[in-house]
Amino acid sequence: MRKTTSSNLKNSFITLNPSFFSNLLAVSPFSTPKKTSRNQSPNLNPLFFFLISILILSTLLGICILTFYPISQNSVPCSALSPSSPLSPILLASLSSIWKAQSSTLLHENPSLSSSIMAPLPPHGIIQSHNLSAEEREFWEQPNGEGYKPCLDFSLDYRKLSSKISKEKRKFLVVVVSGGLNQQRNQIVDAVVISRILEAALVVPVLQVNRIWGDESEFSDIFDVEHFKKTLQADVRVVSSLPSTHLVPKQSIENQMPFHVSPMWIRARFLHQLNEEGLLIFKGLDSRLSKNLPPDLQKLRCKVAFHALRFATPIQELGNQIARRMWIEGPYIALHLRIEKDVWVRTGCSTGLGPEYDEIIDNERLSNPDFLTDKLNMTQSARRLAGLCPLSALEIARLLKALGARSDARVYIAGGEPFGGSRAMQPILERFPNIVSKEMLAREGELTPYMNRPSVLAAIDYIVSLSSDVFVPSHGGNMGRAMQVYYIYDDPSTF
């Protein structure tokens, strides 16, 4: 095959003169045709002019669409356009080129969703050993994602409304969240969704001082506030504090919302009050918002939970360091062992450690009857039979054995100080001696700033648990659900 010379290649780029662009504009539907003089070059093929006109119109239409309906919103598109879209291939090409240009600009301005999700260390896979039984190999196998992928491609109606909601400066929602770390996360997610439903600006959520642990951490102590604001800036307006015009001393706090309410119920109940007063204060949002929301609001839930709620940098870095120290030595199990004192008090279950320990828990319940959280009329034995009690160290050790874990498996204990100390841990230590905790993995002084901050310590456990090869909860709480949903949602190939 004959090669094209460099001179010929260069000429192919410079032979077009300005008169070509003049002729191109002359056939535009927005200009008046002129007569061709004798000295002008011959007319080009009319079909060529027709195609060029279609290209110009398609490009202009694409720009208009992107102007009024921003595609990006810092979201991950499931598909650029629906396969049934009537738009022409030329318009699709113009939209694609403009989308790429916008994405390149946004990449430098705001954190992309692909980089905002916490990336766990990769699983080690099945241990290559001839001594493993079929049950032991199955224990370390990773679950099949079955092709499901995250989808944050919001509808056009959602994006159209976003331009108004993200600029809201008159209506504000204040939310006071309570409980442990994962309860706080769930309530913050619902707070964002409710602010979107009510088209109100959201004040950075207030963390209530925990009565059991005495944790006085604020939102900024646990989460990255600026990242939270930037990630959600196209969905809701998030502000650090109320403006002085909205500081109402006698503002009532809404804390009687029923469970699992719909967006329609929320609008009917609170929208008029919010429009009149400009301020709503919610407290106790746990499980108040319906779990069956419209697709756009479900996607917003995912965006908040997996992208916006990123831990503060010092916590994330320390958690990553401890996770790497655990991960580098091979596969490990993260065991969320819930045998702390507050767990026995709240669940109404016996500790299994003997009468002297059960008496301490009973006295604590008598002095704080509101700590008991569920089914007050059930006996301790009935609670255990109903599956409401956490597994003891002995029970969880038997469970791990039955699932196929070998006795030399490495186990990371996620959770607080066990009630009963070494006595409570003895049954599992006898069967799984390779047990470590964040206190054992941390170097001198690393955990010192956080020793009175249980929520921060729980965040470190959260990070280390994400990088584990197997996660096992001893109680059906929020941590177990968070890990399960995270592994379902997270798929690096999507991004």
Side-chain angles (χ1 to χ4, degrees):
M1 182 181 291
R2 187 168 59 90
K3 294 182 180 179
T4 305
T5 62
S6 60
S7 59
N8 290 338
L9 183 63
K10 182 177 180 181
N11 289 338
S12 68
F13 285 93
I14 64 174
T15 50
L16 293 179
N17 56 51
S19 64
F20 172 82
F21 298 100
S22 300
N23 290 332
L24 184 63
L25 292 174
V27 297
S28 167
F30 301 103
S31 61
T32 304
K34 295 182 180 179
K35 294 182 179 180
T36 305
S37 66
R38 292 180 181 179
N39 296 329
Q40 287 180 314
S41 58
N43 286 333
L44 298 177
N45 191 322
L47 178 60
F48 173 77
F49 288 147
F50 175 75
L51 292 175
I52 293 297
S53 301
I54 293 296
L55 176 61
I56 294 173
L57 286 172
S58 300
T59 303
L60 291 173
L61 179 59
I63 293 173
C64 292
I65 290 174
L66 289 172
T67 301
F68 293 102
Y69 302 101
I71 287 180
S72 162
Q73 289 215 47
N74 202 18
S75 66
V76 179
C78 302
S79 58
L81 287 168
S82 170
S84 60
S85 173
L87 299 180
S88 69
I90 296 176
L91 177 54
L92 288 174
S94 63
L95 284 172
S96 176
S97 61
I98 297 170
W99 158 245
K100 290 178 181 177
Q102 280 199 350
S103 299
S104 176
T105 303
L106 286 169
L107 189 62
H108 298 285
E109 293 179 355
N110 301 313
S112 65
L113 292 184
S114 60
S115 63
S116 64
I117 190 169
M118 285 191 292
L121 296 168
H124 295 84
I126 302 175
I127 304 173
Q128 299 301 320
S129 173
H130 297 293
N131 297 326
L132 290 180
S133 66
E135 291 78 9
E136 290 167 344
R137 287 182 177 276
E138 184 180 2
F139 179 81
W140 293 105
E141 285 181 355
Q142 297 302 305
N144 184 358
E146 298 183 358
Y148 287 98
K149 295 181 181 296
C151 177
L152 296 184
D153 189 16
F154 295 97
S155 69
L156 286 178
D157 288 340
Y158 181 95
R159 296 198 295 267
K160 182 179 179 181
L161 192 58
S162 294
S163 59
K164 171 190 174 184
I165 298 176
S166 61
K167 296 180 179 65
E168 178 58 51
K169 295 183 180 180
R170 194 182 68 82
K171 300 181 294 184
F172 293 86
L173 178 65
V174 177
V175 175
V176 181
V177 301
S178 59
L181 174 70
N182 291 291
Q183 267 186 300
Q184 293 170 349
R185 286 173 56 88
N186 292 344
Q187 292 173 52
I188 292 168
V189 170
D190 284 357
V192 174
V193 175
I194 291 174
S195 67
R196 173 79 191 196
I197 293 170
L198 294 173
E199 301 181 13
L202 175 67
V203 180
V204 171
V206 179
L207 306 190
Q208 184 178 4
V209 177
N210 194 287
R211 293 175 55 192
I212 297 176
W213 303 298
D215 192 337
E216 298 181 358
S217 298
E218 297 180 359
F219 188 97
S220 59
D221 295 325
I222 304 173
F223 304 106
D224 187 333
V225 178
E226 293 308 314
H227 177 79
F228 184 74
K229 292 179 180 179
K230 287 180 181 178
T231 305
L232 297 174
Q233 63 184 358
D235 305 278
V236 295
R237 181 169 178 245
V238 182
V239 298
S240 297
S241 59
L242 278 172
S244 57
T245 54
H246 287 71
L247 294 178
V248 183
K250 296 183 179 180
Q251 180 68 32
S252 61
I253 298 177
E254 299 287 343
N255 57 3
Q256 299 299 321
M257 190 187 300
F259 288 99
H260 310 304
V261 297
S262 66
M264 185 180 297
W265 188 96
I266 291 173
R267 291 191 192 98
R269 173 64 179 81
F270 298 113
L271 194 55
H272 177 73
Q273 178 184 348
L274 184 59
N275 288 332
E276 288 290 322
E277 302 178 5
L279 175 64
L280 274 177
I281 302 177
F282 283 160
K283 183 179 179 182
L285 279 183
D286 195 26
S287 299
R288 304 293 170 173
L289 187 59
S290 171
K291 301 299 183 286
N292 184 24
L293 295 175
D296 282 325
L297 295 182
Q298 293 285 22
K299 293 173 185 178
L300 179 58
R301 257 188 177 143
C302 290
K303 188 174 181 180
V304 182
F306 301 111
H307 299 279
L309 275 177
R310 188 170 69 183
F311 294 122
T313 301
I315 299 172
Q316 187 67 51
E317 290 178 350
L318 178 56
N320 288 340
Q321 290 173 4
I322 294 176
R324 281 192 292 270
R325 292 167 196 167
M326 190 71 193
W327 183 89
I328 199 68
E329 295 186 18
Y332 67 95
I333 304 165
L335 173 59
H336 193 220
L337 191 58
R338 299 308 313 276
I339 55 175
E340 302 100 319
K341 182 179 180 180
D342 72 282
V343 175
W344 298 121
V345 173
R346 289 186 294 104
T347 58
C349 300
S350 60
T351 64
L353 299 175
E356 64 273 24
Y357 290 95
D358 288 339
E359 184 179 354
I360 296 173
I361 298 300
D362 290 339
N363 291 336
E364 190 77 24
R365 285 195 200 109
L366 290 173
S367 59
N368 297 284
D370 56 325
F371 282 0
L372 190 59
T373 54
D374 193 23
K375 297 186 174 57
L376 305 178
N377 58 341
M378 294 180 68
T379 63
Q380 291 186 4
S381 58
R383 288 173 182 275
R384 179 165 292 278
L385 289 174
L388 299 175
C389 295
L391 298 178
S392 67
L394 176 60
E395 290 167 331
I396 200 69
R398 289 172 174 171
L399 175 63
L400 289 175
K401 283 287 188 181
L403 290 174
R406 289 172 52 135
S407 59
D408 60 353
R410 298 168 60 248
V411 181
Y412 175 85
I413 297 293
E417 182 180 357
F419 179 63
S422 58
R423 177 171 178 174
M425 292 295 296
Q426 191 60 36
I428 192 170
L429 282 169
E430 290 175 352
R431 292 160 177 82
F432 293 92
N434 295 330
I435 285 182
V436 296
S437 63
K438 54 185 172 293
E439 290 79 10
M440 297 168 66
L441 292 168
R443 293 171 183 166
E444 186 176 356
E446 285 184 330
L447 292 177
T448 303
Y450 311 119
M451 293 314 295
N452 295 321
R453 301 290 177 89
S455 290
V456 175
L457 297 177
I460 294 172
D461 284 336
Y462 189 101
I463 296 168
V464 180
S465 296
L466 276 181
S467 293
S468 66
D469 296 84
V470 175
F471 177 84
V472 180
S474 68
H475 186 44
N478 291 308
M479 179 73 162
R481 287 190 285 268
M483 291 293 113
Q484 181 184 17
V485 174
Y486 190 95
Y487 278 111
I488 293 172
Y489 180 84
D490 180 35
D491 183 354
S493 64
T494 304
F495 306 109

